Amino acid sequence: MATRTRRTERREEPLSRERIVEAAVDLLDTAGDGGLTFRALAQRLATGPGAIYWHVTGKDELLSAAADAVVAGAMTTVAADATPQQAIRVLALGLFDAIDDHPWVGPQLARSPRQSPMLWIFEQLGRQVQALGVPDAAQYTSASALMHYILGVSNQNAANARANQPLTDRTEFLRAVSAVWAELDPDEYPFTRNVAGHMREHDDREEFLAGVDLILAGIAALR
């Protein structure tokens, strides 16, 4: 009897919504929003577009699910004994770093303000605002100010990084900006010239958190 060589076949992981979203995040990171097509996603997953449509109805749903996954990963667990101020700083920095790593997330959140990622961010910040003892009438404004600052600055930071990719070294980029500011017309741009030296040395993440602290100081005055 002829012997048959047994080949161990690798069992492929079944296609699921989670796998599709994970692959979509990877594709968005490398190719951007315009590169996310069901054809490209199907090639990455070694399947057909029809199989993906079984789990996701279209690109809009896929973009929202991808942003949701990134935001969920960014919402770092806060220590049980953290103060509301500390919790807000942790949440803010988590989002800042996530958007820096995934620049497409910021514009996607802006396009879908009523969908779950934005609502989840607003809810988490709002709970901490309540814990600060802010009066009911000022809670919406306080949480909104925090959310818009956090997302706005994070998105701008990611956009700056994309726009200045040739200057891969952050210090090099800041020095270049500082040099330009220092040469501005002193009558037209007196303030910008004055802070040019600060731009050369500052740390983006520290500057971001300093802005969060300014807003928190204003919120504290409402109590």
Side-chain angles (χ1 to χ4, degrees), residues 76-113:
T76 307
T77 302
V78 178
D81 60 347
T83 65
Q85 293 93 332
Q86 290 170 336
I88 288 171
R89 284 169 60 91
V90 169
L91 294 172
L93 198 55
L95 287 167
F96 182 87
D97 290 339
I99 293 175
D100 190 43
D101 291 337
H102 311 278
W104 52 271
V105 171
Q108 172 57 27
L109 292 175
R111 285 196 294 265
S112 55

Side-chain angles (χ1 to χ4, degrees), residues 124-186:
Q124 299 307 306
L125 292 172
R127 291 181 188 180
Q128 301 304 327
V129 166
Q130 286 181 324
L132 284 170
V134 175
D136 289 350
Q139 288 180 6
Y140 172 81
T141 301
S142 300
S144 295
L146 280 166
M147 183 175 72
H148 290 307
Y149 171 80
I150 291 168
L151 295 181
V153 174
S154 298
N155 194 32
Q156 187 60 54
N157 176 74
N160 289 343
R162 292 199 307 274
N164 296 284
Q165 285 180 350
L167 296 176
T168 55
D169 182 79
R170 184 62 179 165
T171 301
E172 179 187 353
F173 167 67
L174 292 175
R175 287 175 178 171
V177 173
S178 177
V180 171
W181 286 12
E183 297 300 323
L184 292 171
D185 187 301

